[in-house]
Amino acid sequence: GEEFMINYIIPELPGICAKDPDGMQSYPYLRELHAYVCIDNSDRVKQAASECDFVPSAEDKTKTALASTYVSIAGGAAKL
């Protein structure tokens, strides 16, 4: 569950997302991440994901960064 996501999935997300131009390979992992963060409200998973550079840039999909790099917290979209 949560431990597996934190210790094995989230650390691999940068590589998974960077090598996935159409999103099909990363979709199941990101869907599961969404469930932990948005549905289960797991603070531990939120923290681990917030510290991982896995979000690809729109300009160059080979570059990744923290989700907070692309989202305005001031707008209320990315509160932990």
Side-chain angles (χ1 to χ4, degrees):
E2 192 175 76
E3 289 294 321
F4 187 78
M5 178 60 92
I6 292 168
N7 294 314
Y8 297 100
I9 302 300
I10 292 174
E12 296 299 322
L13 283 177
I16 293 168
C17 293
K19 297 174 186 166
D20 188 17
D22 65 1
M24 294 304 293
Q25 288 180 307
S26 58
Y27 174 75
Y29 302 105
L30 297 176
R31 183 182 64 199
E32 191 70 17
L33 178 62
H34 172 269
Y36 278 108
V37 171
C38 298
I39 297 169
D40 298 339
N41 201 25
S42 169
D43 290 330
R44 293 180 64 228
V45 173
K46 285 182 196 179
Q47 186 65 40
S50 74
E51 296 170 354
C52 182
D53 290 349
F54 70 91
V55 181
S57 70
E59 298 83 36
D60 182 358
K61 300 241 186 274
T62 63
K63 294 182 182 177
T64 58
L66 298 175
S68 61
T69 303
Y70 303 114
V71 179
S72 171
I73 294 173
K79 293 181 182 174
L80 282 179

